[in-house]
Amino acid sequence: MPLDFDNRFVRELPGESLSNQTTEDAGRSPSRQVLGACYSPALPVKPTAPKLLAHASEVADLIGLNDAEVQSEWFLDAFSGRKLLPQMEPFAMCYGGHQFGHWAGQLGDGRAINLGEVINPRGERWMLQLKGAGPTPYSRSADGFAVLRSSVREFLCSEAMHHLGVPTTRALSLVGTGDMVVRDMFYDGRPKREPGAIVCRVAPSFVRFGNFEILGARNDLANLRKLIEYVIRTDFPELVSSHKAIDSECIAAWFREICRRTAEMIVHWMRVGFVHGVMNTDNMSILGLTIDYGPYGWLEDYDPTWTPNTTDAQGRRYCYGQQPQIAYWNLGRLAEAIAPCMEDKAAIEGAMELYVETINTQWQSTMAAKLGLSRWTSDEDSLIESLFELLRATETDMTLFYRLLGTWQVHPSAHEQPAVRVQRILEHFQEAHYRPEERKENYAKRILDWMDRYEARVRQEQGEPTDRRSIMEAVNPKYVLRNYLAQEAIDQAELHGDPSRIMQLLEVLRNPYAEQPGMEQYAKKRPEWARNRPGCSTLSCSS
Ligand code: AMP
Ligand code: MG
């Protein structure tokens, strides 16, 4: 067994003590409030007939495994929870969280079990975590399992995001358990039996804002300080070198770094059209990684009020356009939790300002690149505002629109008849429009006006036209995990027992910015059958 473990989290942080119980009993025994601890020992349930359905070779490589090892019996045993490796010390973390704006108390890893920390041949530390391997002390009234559909979605999206350049937790493997799980997908009192599955997630750490919030809420300041020091030492070592001790100033610098990383992550989400769907504080990584792929979705027609999450359909708290504000609010909850360990309260305000500044400056440079401009001038605010209005004026696929804008030829001067030019523009963007027949005269005039302004701005640029296209194609993906594509892969795996589409999709999503001739079918706008189909346009939290 070629994995080298160093289980620092359980070694250095306080765990629930289980004096009168074996670990096995404790992991299964009823949900409980876990006080004075950062985690509880927990064991996966042994699946009946596990089968490896998909894996990501790049992630295997991160932990020092090759494809042959991934196909081995011991791999299946370990990553299905059937038979752990001797050095694994499985545990579930204790955390709390603000859900939909309200403090929810203790949550914790209700269906995630950390197996241990691998040190790879390059000396990097990676936590391995099974999602859907059975109940833990944090499962509350739920079963701790996960269904195939949500596991396929988590597996594919983690990897798609990574290849898009978005900070994220990774996915090593997807295993079918051979057991059935009961879910009421629409919360309509009609539960169904569905195949169960387990994803092995991989990240330097799965610590969330909520890990600090629960200790703050319980006024457990000793453990709060321990956890802060642990996370800084383990995951932010550069801060330890630049400060003499992990003092109030160092903690302030750490919070600034969390604010900065969170801002960067959100700008990436906005750039690629990702909607997380459940931005509760328990779903916010302390490392600024995208974490917990549940009822997420990809923006198809540009609509900032869109959310895939049916549970949030009324309030739309977590819709696409709200994500920057929500992350700011979440950082405020983290700040409240860690404030007792910081003397200089003004440092908190400063860090929150840094979040706003980072979002603004990075958004400007991102939008400049999305439009193929080498720099941002003050005029761009209005150019972009009218672009967003235009995209909303008729259902326009955001991903396709930016790619098509990149291949639009801007001539040195415009001498075209307006009617001819409008026709050329409408034809060029035809495939980005969901209802091309609705593009009436008024719309034609608006897109003509906007393209005139855009071209005028492009003409001020110094570079060659090819520069514009390459700037744009480095930030505007051609291939994203469109909601219906994930659903097709799920249908094929679930209804026909054929998981091959999952690996095919992963292969395309490995190079999201490349043209990939022959793969264009994966870049097409959502077909009409998928417009209102559950799983394609709407998702529930029931996973
Ligand atoms: P989520 O909204 O998926 O991030 O989950 C919120 C909380 O509910 C977390 O503490 C999860 O661990 C827990 N949870 C969600 N689904 C399950 C499940 N099937 N079994 C046990 N706990 C769950
Ligand atoms: Mg969660």
Side-chain angles (χ1 to χ4, degrees), residues 53 75 110 130 136 143 205 241 287 319 346 350 387 427 431 434 452 468 537:
L53 302 177
F75 183 95
L130 300 185
T136 75
D143 57 13
S205 162
S241 339
L287 302 186
C319 67
L387 170 63
E427 269 168 33
E431 56 179 296
Y434 282 94
D452 285 347
R468 181 174 67 96
S537 55

Side-chain angles (χ1 to χ4, degrees), residues 131-384:
K131 182 166 176 182
T136 75
Y138 307 96
S139 299
R140 296 173 289 155
S141 57
D143 57 13
F145 296 110
V147 292
L148 179 62
R149 64 183 151 84
S150 65
S151 306
V152 170
R153 286 168 48 81
E154 171 127 23
F155 175 81
L156 280 174
C157 203
S158 312
E159 290 308 288
M161 293 284 269
H162 168 76
H163 294 297
L164 282 163
V166 185
T168 177
T169 63
R170 306 292 301 273
L172 168 65
S173 54
L174 168 70
V175 168
T177 58
D179 298 307
M180 301 303 274
V181 177
V182 176
R183 285 288 180 275
D184 186 354
M185 184 170 162
F186 301 108
Y187 302 119
D188 62 358
R190 287 188 295 170
K192 231 180 78 184
R193 277 160 56 83
E194 299 187 45
I198 296 172
V199 171
C200 178
R201 308 198 285 194
V202 177
S205 162
F206 290 94
V207 171
R208 302 131 190 275
F209 290 10
N211 293 65
F212 302 91
E213 288 179 273
I214 190 73
L215 297 170
R218 289 170 169 169
N219 207 24
D220 184 352
L221 299 186
N223 283 324
L224 177 63
R225 178 162 272 286
K226 262 190 208 153
L227 182 63
I228 292 174
E229 288 185 5
Y230 174 84
V231 167
I232 293 178
R233 260 189 290 116
T234 310
D235 298 305
F236 297 81
E238 63 288 357
L239 293 178
V240 182
S241 339
S242 56
H243 292 79
K244 279 188 226 83
I246 303 183
D247 51 9
S248 177
E249 230 173 80
C250 178
I251 296 173
W254 172 62
F255 182 59
R256 278 176 74 79
E257 179 60 11
I258 297 165
C259 288
R260 196 189 61 73
R261 290 192 193 186
T262 304
E264 281 190 352
M265 173 188 79
I266 297 287
V267 171
H268 279 296
W269 290 4
M270 303 307 281
R271 169 175 69 85
V272 299
F274 175 77
V275 188
H276 184 285
V278 210
M279 288 179 72
N280 294 331
T281 55
D282 51 302
N283 290 337
M284 297 289 294
S285 146
I286 206 70
L287 302 186
L289 305 174
T290 313
I291 191 172
D292 276 11
Y293 292 90
Y296 69 81
W298 291 82
L299 209 56
E300 287 158 342
D301 56 291
Y302 180 82
D303 173 4
T305 71
W306 183 73
T307 173
N309 185 355
T310 49
T311 315
D312 193 24
Q314 289 296 312
R316 294 182 185 263
R317 179 180 172 87
Y318 298 142
C319 67
Y320 173 74
Q322 282 274 98
Q323 297 186 123
Q325 283 81 349
I326 292 293
Y328 180 85
W329 189 88
N330 290 346
L331 285 163
R333 304 293 74 71
L334 174 64
E336 280 168 5
I338 63 173
C341 299
M342 291 165 72
E343 280 152 29
D344 177 14
K345 304 295 182 243
I348 294 182
E349 253 166 66
M352 299 291 288
E353 270 164 36
L354 176 70
Y355 171 83
V356 175
E357 270 168 43
T358 310
I359 281 264
N360 288 341
T361 52
Q362 304 241 347
W363 180 239
Q364 287 174 355
S365 53
T366 295
M367 278 311 301
K370 282 182 84 68
L371 295 180
L373 307 175
S374 56
R375 70 202 149 79
W376 180 271
T377 69
S378 55
D379 294 344
E380 265 73 272
D381 284 327
S382 116
L383 185 69
I384 278 163

